[in-house]
Amino acid sequence: MKLKISNSIHVLRAEKRLTQEELAKAIDVTRATIISIEKGKYNPSLELAFRVALFFEKDISEIFKVEGKYED
């Protein structure tokens, strides 16, 4: 079983007027990683989720939400 996790990174980036590239550099990942996370194609590691949360000064649960689960 896998969890379907949504996130609000796109909204948070827009509020701060950040590009995907700027966010990627700030949290030390590639732009492709940010794109994949925003599209829900990739669930970040716990460490990466914390880096995102710390960058935006939010709790992880304010950014990442479990939307459901599905079978492999």
Side-chain angles (χ1 to χ4, degrees):
M1 173 183 58
K2 287 190 172 189
L3 296 177
K4 182 175 180 177
I5 300 174
S6 66
N7 67 78
S8 59
I9 294 174
H10 177 78
V11 173
L12 293 168
R13 273 194 318 100
E15 288 173 356
K16 288 191 174 255
R17 298 178 189 258
L18 289 172
T19 65
Q20 291 169 331
E21 184 67 31
E22 290 168 331
L23 175 59
K25 285 181 182 179
I27 62 172
D28 197 29
V29 297
T30 65
R31 180 174 171 258
T33 299
I34 299 300
I35 292 168
S36 294
I37 294 170
E38 285 185 357
K39 289 184 175 183
K41 305 275 186 200
Y42 172 71
N43 288 337
S45 67
L46 185 56
E47 179 185 339
L48 181 50
F50 269 109
R51 280 193 268 163
V52 171
L54 288 169
F55 177 82
F56 287 113
E57 299 177 334
K58 303 276 185 192
D59 189 78
I60 286 178
S61 63
E62 293 178 84
I63 300 171
F64 298 96
K65 306 274 185 211
V66 176
E67 295 293 324
K69 53 188 173 183
Y70 56 93
E71 299 296 321
D72 267 348

